[in-house]
């Protein structure tokens, strides 16, 4: 080795050490940053930020509901629609609330890095706070306008018109319930029976509130706004209960007309799966055979009571079809998947509508916790997507996701109610 090589090595060795150490340091820093972003402490911070944003989201959801109440009260007072400014405020608030639900759900995804989730939650909280301030300003401005421009007697007269319109629209709620009693077993119309009681009690409360407001209106030193707002809330509850009754009646009627076809389609799907099984390797055929036997047993269990329990039958059939499709996922050709989706879609859409209806009945007056509201919002979005898409396979997947979200929403709402009752 000559002098030149010695000099070169003398320069290269320290340089390699320096650059190698720098590279190791960079790797260590990157790993440390990654660990810090995903460490338990980071997850706790993210959970705390999400909790704060979630509490604000509950406030926003309730505030939008109250703003909707203001619009309804305004419509009753003016004999027409609410003022344009109030309607615009409601529309903006509803969009903000819907976007906030999506942002909260995205931030809470377990796949999101905790640091990113915390940042998204803080941004969401700031947006919600701004929207809450905007809503409160719109409501305050509207209340001031009412007090300055609308007399108490006019307000009471508007509430009385609303009550008369609601009575005319509701008719006799007991008539639909009696028809349901003839069509189906009580388990099918539990929500409808509860809705009839809720509608009647809400109408009675509205009558009491309006009577109190009428008495107060005669005294210029007193304000009837509290009783009028209470009457409007009662009218809204009665209206919602009436719609629940009508929706339950429609679901039971339509399910009764469709249930025999749904059973036949499910039997056909089982026969198709049996023919596909014959061409599969032994291990796959054995697994599919177990699923086919399970599906057959379920249909045998469902069919005898389907005529009197059509909604429950359609929901159960949808679950059978879902599980059978999962078992056939790898064996189905594209054409078979398309045909199966087309036959399963109508019943699954009906089951999704029913599941969402049950969830909505379990979350009255926005009293449920945030998780139930988020699941219900997701269920509604998935059902809307299922109705809009032209691809039967995509539509079927979306409808099945809607069912799962709705069932989770109902379970969470029931758990929240039981936990609140136990406190």
């Amino acid at each position: 080795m000559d002098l030149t090589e010695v000099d070169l090595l003398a320069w290269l060795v320290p340089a390699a050490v320096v650059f190698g150490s720098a590279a190791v340091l960079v790797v260590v820093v990157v790993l440390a940053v990654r660990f810090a972003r995903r460490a338990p402490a980071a997850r706790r911070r993210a959970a705390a930020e999400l909790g704060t944003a979630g509490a604000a989201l509950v406030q926003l959801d309730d505030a939008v509901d109250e703003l909707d109440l203001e619009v309804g009260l305004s419509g009753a007072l003016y004999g027409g629609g609410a003022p344009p400014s109030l309607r615009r405020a409601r529309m903006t608030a509803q969009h903000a609330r819907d976007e906030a639900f999506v942002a909260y759900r995205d931030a809470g995804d377990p796949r999101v890095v905790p640091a990113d989730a915390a940042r998204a939650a803080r941004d969401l909280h700031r947006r919600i706070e701004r929207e809450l301030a905007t809503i409160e300003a719109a409501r305050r401005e509207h209340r001031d306008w009412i007090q300055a421009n609308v007399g108490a007697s006019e307000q009471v007269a508007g509430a009385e018109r609303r009550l008369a319109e609601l009575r005319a629209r509701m008719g006799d709620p007991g008539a639909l319930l009696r028809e349901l009693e003839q069509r189906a077993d009580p388990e099918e119309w539990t929500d409808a029976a509860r809705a009839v009681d809720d509608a009647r009690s809400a109408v009675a409360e509205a009558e009491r509130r309006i009577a109190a407001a009428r008495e107060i209106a005669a005294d210029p030193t007193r304000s009837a706004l509290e009783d009028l707002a209470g009457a409007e809330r009662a009218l809204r509850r009665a209206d919602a209960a009436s719609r629940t009754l009508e929706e339950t009646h429609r679901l039971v009627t339509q399910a009764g007309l469709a249930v025999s076809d749904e059973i036949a389609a499910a039997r056909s799907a089982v026969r198709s799966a049996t023919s596909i099984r014959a061409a599969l390797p032994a291990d796959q055929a054995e697994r599919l055979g177990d699923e086919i036997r399970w599906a057959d047993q379920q249909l045998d269990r469902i069919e005898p009571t389907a005529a009197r329990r059509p909604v429950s039958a359609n929901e159960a059939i949808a679950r059978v079809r879902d599980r059978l499709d999962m078992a056939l996922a790898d064996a189905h050709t594209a054409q078979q998947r398309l045909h199966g989706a087309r036959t399963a879609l109508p019943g699954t859409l009906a089951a999704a509508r029913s599941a969402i209806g049950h969830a909505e009945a379990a979350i009255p007056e926005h009293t449920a916790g945030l998780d139930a509201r988020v699941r219900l919002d997701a269920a509604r979005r998935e059902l809307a997507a299922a109705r809009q898409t032209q691809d039967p396979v995509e539509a079927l997947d979306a409808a099945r996701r809607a069912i799962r979200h709705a069932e989770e929403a109902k379970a969470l709402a029931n758990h929240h109610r039981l936990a609140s009752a136990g406190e």
Side-chain angles (χ1 to χ4, degrees), residues 188-349:
E188 296 292 282
W189 40 267
T190 302
D191 292 341
R194 189 183 303 117
V196 170
D197 293 338
D198 291 345
R200 287 171 173 163
S201 64
V203 167
E205 182 183 349
E207 291 172 341
R208 289 193 300 271
R209 288 283 200 164
I210 292 172
R214 189 185 306 112
E215 181 180 346
I216 292 172
D219 184 350
T221 65
R222 302 168 67 189
S223 173
L225 278 179
E226 182 178 349
D227 280 306
L228 286 168
E232 181 62 25
R233 289 188 179 91
L235 290 172
R236 282 169 53 84
R237 288 200 305 275
D239 190 38
S242 177
R243 283 186 275 109
T244 297
L245 171 61
E246 292 170 358
E247 177 68 5
T248 303
H249 179 271
R250 186 181 65 81
L251 286 171
V252 171
T253 301
Q254 291 183 348
L257 295 173
V259 69
S260 59
D261 290 340
E262 292 300 323
I263 291 174
R267 295 286 190 191
S268 177
V270 170
R271 289 194 296 272
S272 175
T274 303
S275 64
I276 291 171
R277 176 176 177 262
L280 294 177
D283 57 338
Q284 295 181 26
E286 183 177 356
R287 288 194 297 271
L288 181 55
D290 292 339
E291 295 300 317
I292 290 171
R293 283 187 291 275
W294 174 84
D296 254 333
Q297 291 168 0
Q298 291 299 307
L299 292 175
D300 288 342
R301 180 185 61 81
I302 294 166
E303 192 164 9
T305 59
R308 292 290 299 177
R309 298 181 182 177
V311 175
S312 301
N314 280 347
E315 291 173 351
I317 292 168
R319 287 191 287 271
V320 169
R321 296 290 301 269
D322 186 13
R323 180 164 162 177
L324 192 58
D325 281 353
M326 290 179 63
L328 286 164
D330 295 331
H332 259 155
T333 65
Q335 185 176 4
Q336 288 168 332
R337 280 195 298 271
L338 186 60
H339 175 73
R342 283 174 176 159
T343 62
L345 184 57
T348 306
L349 285 173

Side-chain angles (χ1 to χ4, degrees), residues 57-91:
L57 180 52
V58 170
Q59 285 184 277
L60 178 60
D61 196 25
D62 291 340
V64 171
D65 195 49
E66 286 297 311
L67 186 58
D68 198 38
L69 172 66
E70 293 270 349
V71 173
L73 179 57
S74 180
L77 295 176
Y78 307 145
S85 60
L86 197 64
R87 292 201 303 272
R88 284 195 298 270
R90 178 179 65 170
M91 186 178 299

